[in-house]
Amino acid sequence: MGKTRKIAASLLAASMVLSLAACSGSKDSKGASPAPTNANPSESAASTAPSLNPDEPGWKGDTTPITFDWYLNFSWFPNKWGVDKTSQYVTKKTGVSVNFIVPAGNENEKLNTMIASGKLPDFITLGWWEDAVKKMIEGDLVLPLNELADQYDPYFFKVADAAKRGWYTQEDGNVYGYPNSSASAADYEKYGEYFTSNQTFVVRKDMYEAIGSPDMSTPEGFLNALKAAKEKFPDIDGQPIIPIGMNEFGEVGNSSLEGYLQNFLAIPQEKDGKLYDRSTDPEYIKWLKVFRQANQDGLLAKDIFIDKRAQMEEKIAQGRYFAMLFQRTDFANQNISLYQKDPNKVYIAVDGPKNASSAQPTLAGPSISGWTVTLISKDVKDKKRAIQFLSYLLSEEGNKDLYLGEKGVSYDTIDGKDQFKPEVLELMNKDRSAFDKEFGSSYTFWMMQDTNMILQWAPPSVEPSKQLEDWTKGKSVSMSQFDNISPTGNSEEGVAANKMAQLWGKALPKLLMAKSDEDFDKIWSKYQDDIKAAGKDKVDTYKQAAYETNLKKLNAAK
């Protein structure tokens, strides 16, 4: 089925790695090795330095101006470096400016084109699950972070979590990417009570209450509520209501109707040590048929099959969706705007689809894989400054700078605690876009954010975000052991997995548009035959082995 997509702690975050003893292959990860004789002239300082101090941030040794090109594989990212006070402060402090490169259209097309060219920008940030990660590593297009740290900045090993380095250590002993928004087993022990999920089922408060605040956790209740909302509110400010919204449909499916829905139905991912194919679970198939029935009843608007992120955000801001199976942080700005205009027209979390036993959802909490990974290109213009800047960003100092901004400007020590100034916090809670442009702190630049570390500076949640966040507490679990188990790349299993994903992307809309449950069953049966022919058995074998390897890596760090 479709690949796992954004999970825990994304955006602002929502959503969302374990120690092997060594992360640098044959090199000593804790010490420094001399720079190679063919080091670039711009990196001569590393070559002539008699030693490197693993306890001292390397970036402090050179704060001359430099600009790095940083590719973000997220077409929706709106911000520019140097416009706001926080990024200006970081540049003044470190000498580093950033030129963000964001795809204008299809992310995969843009990234694949760059990979095919053999030349990448200095930094690359993308979802950890993306096939491109493996392509870049196998194509020798990115540099091992541990080797860069050995040569230029051993401070990296002090600030980069050993468990997360271990999780991302490849078969060659090297670490090529480092995650943001990541949570190890130790993080769960320390911060678990504060962890939330980004996965929510939401409804527009005024509409929901107007139709009697019905139970939408059963198939009948779900369909009846959608019908009642459409009948009572056929138009929203002259535009037709969209009864149910979800993530956008793509070539490999729709994440809202895959793992997301399966989590709400509390379908297990393994049974007795063996991976369980959740897509074949009777509860899941039953609910897919519920969505099929919704389409037959005119409750799945055409918009949801064709809209991209920009169109969805516009329609959320207009309050045109009655309900959404959607990640809460991805519509935070729009929800704040709705709340400011009328608190009753805000989106709130309620119980969504449940299994027949009404079990609590098992929602994706923070995982050790995190949300995104950042890699450094082999073509990076200055290796030394690049690894030093990366070390700074993932350190506590860097996280504090990017989250709180500059002291006296966006934050101060108030009542003995470093926290946002009242007027800054007020702007953040009232107009997030304006806050991002003026101050640029608090998750604006989330590439290396440590969401656990940030808890010490984070203000208490306020409405409308608080209700959504609180609803997920107690329902969030770690799913780290199931991360990164799908084969990728050009291996036999990777090709088969990609073919299967494409088949699912074509089958899902057909299933939803089937004229009857009988037609659904025929399409489903053909899909099962197609994926078996594409190599499902070999993919399952690969995933089982990868899952068992994950368990060993997780246990090794305990």
Side-chain angles (χ1 to χ4, degrees), residues 35-41 43 47 151-152 383:
T37 56
N38 64 344
N40 293 336
E43 297 152 2
S47 303
Q151 296 170 13
Y152 306 113
K383 297 176 184 177

Side-chain angles (χ1 to χ4, degrees), residues 248-297:
E248 64 185 78
F249 282 80
E251 294 180 350
V252 295
N254 185 311
S255 57
S256 292
L257 296 177
E258 297 156 13
Y260 204 130
L261 176 58
Q262 291 159 4
N263 291 346
F264 267 81
L265 300 177
I267 298 173
Q269 299 194 59
E270 64 83 27
K271 292 184 177 182
D272 300 322
K274 298 295 182 182
L275 288 178
Y276 176 60
D277 186 351
R278 305 168 93 195
S279 69
T280 62
D281 191 274
E283 289 287 346
Y284 177 61
I285 295 173
K286 178 179 74 176
W287 271 93
L288 281 184
K289 288 182 175 181
V290 171
F291 280 90
R292 186 214 68 77
Q293 186 64 51
N295 184 66
Q296 182 176 319
D297 294 344

